[in-house]
Amino acid sequence: MEWTSYVGPLMQGAWVTVELTVYSTLLGGLFAFLFGIGKLSPNVLIKSVSVAYIEIFRGTSLLVQLFWLYFALPVAGDALGIDLRLAPVTAGVMALALNIGAYGAEVVRGAIQSVPHSQYEAAKALNFTPRQVLWRISLPQAIPEMMPTFGNLAVQNLKDTALVSLISLGDLAFRAEQIRNFTQDSTTVYTLVLLMYFGMALVVTALMKLLERYVGQWRMVRR
């Protein structure tokens, strides 16, 4: 078979990979802010839940998390009389988002804590509420500091999407394995896949750099 015949199926898989990356990165970003801010909360319950989430999902394998959501969760639901079966794409997005969110939460927490303490003292002197301090003082200064690390996490998340092929989701890695099994042309197939992942990583990096540049303007404006 000509290598050009591989491109169509691989592009179909690449589109699934792009969807997984976009959805899980956005959802993971939401988790990062929720639980990163939650870890700094004076509320013991909110802080405890946030710490538990971060430690569990940073301390366990993404592959095991994926298998638990797809294979173990439905069994637990059946025992409780609840249908908790997830579609492969849902399980994939959730596992990726929960995993990247846990790492992102520590980035958010660290960036917020890096804001000079004098800023908080000034806000207290102006009688700012905790919500005003968060939205007007902490986040505008902390978000620019988070962006380089968030860019790295987004690229890592793209590469981690290959694991969803293990639950029969037709992403790029799954399509590549199908073609390789049919043609036994491992060199050509995986060279194409390597280049496609590299190309997608370059696009993600470029987009994150643009976002980083835009957010970086906040720091300049506040100065």
Side-chain angles (χ1 to χ4, degrees):
M1 293 181 65
E2 292 289 337
W3 68 269
T4 52
S5 63
Y6 305 160
V7 174
L10 289 178
M11 288 301 294
Q12 292 176 355
W15 179 246
V16 175
T17 295
V18 169
E19 291 181 318
L20 285 169
T21 302
V22 171
Y23 296 149
S24 61
T25 300
L26 292 176
L27 185 58
L30 176 61
F31 289 152
F33 278 93
L34 286 177
F35 292 101
I37 294 171
K39 190 173 181 179
L40 299 174
S41 173
N43 185 295
V44 176
L45 178 60
I46 294 176
K47 183 174 183 177
S48 299
V49 170
S50 299
V51 169
Y53 160 74
I54 292 169
E55 296 305 320
I56 289 172
F57 284 94
R58 286 203 312 160
T60 56
S61 166
L62 172 57
L63 180 59
V64 176
Q65 295 163 16
L66 177 64
F67 282 174
W68 193 91
L69 286 172
Y70 189 67
F71 295 114
L73 184 60
V75 175
D78 290 342
L80 298 173
I82 306 172
D83 185 7
L84 295 177
R85 289 175 176 80
L86 300 177
V89 66
T90 304
V93 168
M94 286 301 300
L96 291 164
L98 288 167
N99 187 267
I100 192 178
Y103 287 95
E106 280 295 276
V107 176
V108 172
R109 190 268 312 160
I112 291 176
Q113 288 185 320
S114 71
V115 176
H117 189 66
S118 59
Q119 299 280 335
Y120 296 113
E121 292 178 345
K124 185 177 180 180
L126 293 171
N127 292 319
F128 277 25
T129 66
R131 181 174 297 182
Q132 288 176 318
V133 171
L134 177 64
W135 288 102
R136 297 187 181 183
I137 305 296
S138 301
L139 289 180
Q141 296 182 74
I143 288 178
E145 303 299 327
M146 305 174 194
M147 294 311 300
T149 307
F150 273 171
N152 291 334
L153 288 176
V155 173
Q156 183 62 49
N157 192 48
L158 165 66
K159 295 184 290 184
D160 286 342
T161 59
L163 292 176
V164 304
S165 64
L166 298 175
I167 58 171
S168 300
L169 188 58
D171 73 322
L172 180 55
F174 183 82
R175 297 294 184 186
E177 186 62 16
Q178 283 185 320
I179 296 171
R180 190 198 68 82
N181 287 335
F182 181 72
T183 65
Q184 298 300 308
D185 187 3
S186 301
T187 302
T188 303
V189 171
Y190 284 115
T191 299
L192 287 172
V193 171
L194 191 70
L195 292 173
M196 292 175 79
Y197 271 114
F198 181 62
M200 288 188 288
L202 289 179
V203 172
V204 171
T205 300
L207 291 174
M208 293 304 294
K209 286 290 185 183
L210 288 175
L211 183 59
E212 181 181 342
R213 186 178 304 172
Y214 171 74
V215 171
Q217 296 175 0
W218 300 359
R219 185 191 294 116
M220 297 174 61
V221 170
R222 296 189 69 85
R223 286 177 179 174

